[in-house]
Amino acid sequence: MYLVTVLGNLLIILAISSDSHLHTPMYFFLSNLSLADICFISTTVPKMMVNISTQSRVISYVGCLTQMSCFILFGCMDDMLLTVMAYDRFVAICHPLHYQVIMNPYICATLVLMAFLVSLLVSLLHNFIILEFKYFKDVEIANFFCDPSQLLNLSCSDIFIDNIVMYFVFVISGFLPTSGIFFSYYKIVSSILRIPSSDGKYKAYSTCGSHLSVVCLYYGTGFGVYIASAVSHSPRNSALASVVYTVVTPMLNPFIYSLRNRDITHALKRLHSRCASTLEENNQTHVLEFHLLGFSEDPDLQPILFGLFLSMYLVTVLGNLLLILAVSSDSHLHTPMYFFLSNLSFADICFISTMVPKMIVDMQSHSRVISYVGCLTQMSAFLTSACMDDMLLTVMAYDRFVAFCHPLQYQVIMNPRFCVILVLVSFLGSLLYSLLHNLSISQLTSFNGTEIANFFCDPSQLLILACSETFTNNIIMYFILIVFGFIPISGIFFSYYKIACSILRAPSSGGKYKAFSTCGSHLSVVCLFYGTSLGVYIDSALSHSPRNSAVASVMYTVVTPMLNPFIYSLRNRDIKSALWRLQSRTIFSVPIPNSLCFLLAKPVI
């Protein structure tokens, strides 16, 4: 059921993004609903499957709060998007002449962003309420996921005020959207009944039939689960009823839209036809190669640039490899902080290796050509490793937050299994980020030119070169940037805000200095990473010289990964001690040949 849900909703997203006929507000909202459904089912089912496989039903307190937050966030996102889609149908049927003006791309993007922010606010409010509970009567949650209502039932403290707050939040985030849907369909039905012909009525109804079916399924199952939990005294029956709206509803949505909607059905057929087309047909719609920008056309400068970038690349790779080797070989560094650091070093090696080797080869061969497939591959690897850096820096900030603000629970919260999960989630999130960008770029079938104004395949440069309309792609990319950029940055700011509050409460200046020194290296790397990225963005916006922008890009693509190991080795005593111990073991473990022993032996007199 999980795979069917994920693949079905991904097919809907792929069909809409790849077919220009579906680049309309209604299908833009539908693709966001499909993405929300994937996230919604992914908050509960994977954990449940792991529990079935390991025969363990234990979830940590932090894990429970995280699952609850994601569940409420994406559940509310579904609710909000269904309301937005009802409004879209209301405008289309009741105000058809003003539809293009009212539902312009800017308004559509704003509506989705508002839906996400409101859902995030609802999730945070629930989290703040649950965080107030210090003690619980029991640890048995009567559901297969962390249901907030079950946590309220388990609380030892008085929950009357919390119930009032939760009901108030429910009214705002639940009753108002439902009222909006009812009002929209009341107006829609009134407009349809005024249509004189039966064919016109049927055509008008068919445009909102799929949405109405999904609304009835979503709210019907939710209401059914509520009644089942109120009537039934069996927790297992209530848990089984919950499966209907947490698993079955997201699974059925793509089937409803594909079976009842001709546009989606035709788009899926066209997508299948394109996938089945020959390589020769594909080559007719795509450029075969691009030309990257060089740093200088002067042949005398090429050997100097070659030596400079080769040296920087070798220093970066060797420095980060030394960090990984020091962390893995020293038992004193087998802690969460250094586990994340070794992963960050590995991501930095991958990050710089996506661009610099190709650039060095181009300097040596005097050719700046890269194939279309090679360009997409480089872009994918660049985005994956860059986003991985971003995610890992956020994870490391969270690690420091737990160490400072919850020192007694640090070993319990940051256990090895949870650390591996955080790194795995970072990698999967980075991979998703890269795939979404690749999906957007692969829809661009023709380009104004083949000259990319950078020394690597920058996705923003490919969008500039595109002949086709890129407004929708820009909206998608900005939305992706908000999710994978703004949220991690907000997490880092929040973590350091809490850390700073904890440090300021330390009584002695020595304690404050010692506390700050444990996160000074990470803070330096964060400032370097985001500072250089912001600097490149401002420079590219102000400078009209592509070569200057390319030189500025070197700062965060080459210089930042090179400086990271120096920052951690120079500012961190543990790393310096580990490197000294590694050097000592390396020197003393070298075997001395017998001949050398014979020559150094004192002659017998």
Side-chain angles (χ1 to χ4, degrees), residues 292 295 305-317 348-365 367 370 378 381-382 385 454-457 550 553-562:
L292 299 172
F295 286 102
L305 291 172
F306 174 81
L308 176 65
F309 282 104
L310 180 61
S311 303
M312 293 170 77
Y313 178 67
L314 291 176
V315 168
T316 305
V317 172
D348 280 337
I349 293 171
C350 298
F351 183 52
I352 196 171
S353 297
T354 59
M355 301 157 291
V356 176
K358 169 65 180 168
M359 182 170 58
I360 293 171
V361 170
D362 290 348
M363 289 177 184
Q364 193 68 14
S365 61
S367 171
I370 186 170
Q378 187 188 60
F382 167 76
S385 47
N454 215 327
F455 65 93
F456 65 97
C457 283
S553 299
V554 173
M555 285 301 297
Y556 80 97
T557 54
V558 182
V559 176
T560 301
M562 182 182 70

Side-chain angles (χ1 to χ4, degrees), residues 62 394-403 413-414 418 422 495:
V62 175
T394 310
V395 168
M396 292 170 79
Y398 173 73
D399 171 76
R400 294 297 82 206
F401 159 72
V402 176
I413 297 172
M414 301 304 292
F418 185 60
L422 286 174
S495 297

Side-chain angles (χ1 to χ4, degrees), residues 219-412:
Y219 288 105
T221 52
F223 187 64
V225 169
Y226 176 77
I227 293 174
S229 60
V231 173
S232 174
H233 298 288
S234 171
R236 199 171 299 277
N237 290 342
S238 299
L240 288 173
S242 300
V243 172
V244 178
Y245 81 96
T246 55
V247 182
V248 177
T249 303
M251 182 182 72
L252 292 180
N253 285 357
F255 290 100
I256 292 171
Y257 274 101
S258 58
L259 295 175
R260 294 181 59 89
N261 193 302
R262 290 182 181 179
D263 294 334
I264 293 289
T265 306
H266 293 160
L268 289 170
K269 288 179 180 178
R270 285 191 290 268
L271 179 64
H272 180 264
S273 301
R274 283 198 297 272
C275 291
S277 61
T278 60
L279 183 62
E280 183 179 353
E281 289 173 341
N282 285 332
N283 287 338
Q284 290 174 359
T285 57
H286 293 283
V287 294
L288 296 176
E289 59 186 28
F290 290 102
H291 294 269
L292 299 172
L293 182 70
F295 286 102
S296 175
E297 300 296 336
D298 188 354
D300 295 332
L301 282 177
Q302 295 303 314
I304 298 172
L305 291 172
F306 174 81
L308 176 65
F309 282 104
L310 180 61
S311 303
M312 293 170 77
Y313 178 67
L314 291 176
V315 168
T316 305
V317 172
L318 292 174
N320 283 287
L321 278 177
L322 265 177
L323 267 183
I324 295 170
L325 190 61
V327 171
S328 59
S329 63
D330 198 313
S331 59
H332 298 89
L333 302 183
H334 290 175
T335 61
M337 182 175 73
Y338 294 110
F339 171 69
F340 298 135
L341 175 58
S342 59
N343 280 279
L344 180 68
S345 295
F346 180 72
D348 280 337
I349 293 171
C350 298
F351 183 52
I352 196 171
S353 297
T354 59
M355 301 157 291
V356 176
K358 169 65 180 168
M359 182 170 58
I360 293 171
V361 170
D362 290 348
M363 289 177 184
Q364 193 68 14
S365 61
H366 304 289
S367 171
R368 294 181 284 111
V369 175
I370 186 170
S371 66
Y372 178 78
V373 176
C375 185
L376 289 183
T377 305
Q378 187 188 60
M379 184 189 73
S380 301
F382 167 76
L383 292 171
T384 303
S385 47
C387 188
M388 188 72 179
D389 265 8
D390 189 23
M391 294 287 189
L392 285 173
L393 287 173
T394 310
V395 168
M396 292 170 79
Y398 173 73
D399 171 76
R400 294 297 82 206
F401 159 72
V402 176
F404 278 98
C405 302
H406 305 283
L408 298 178
Q409 300 172 6
Y410 181 74
Q411 296 296 332
V412 178

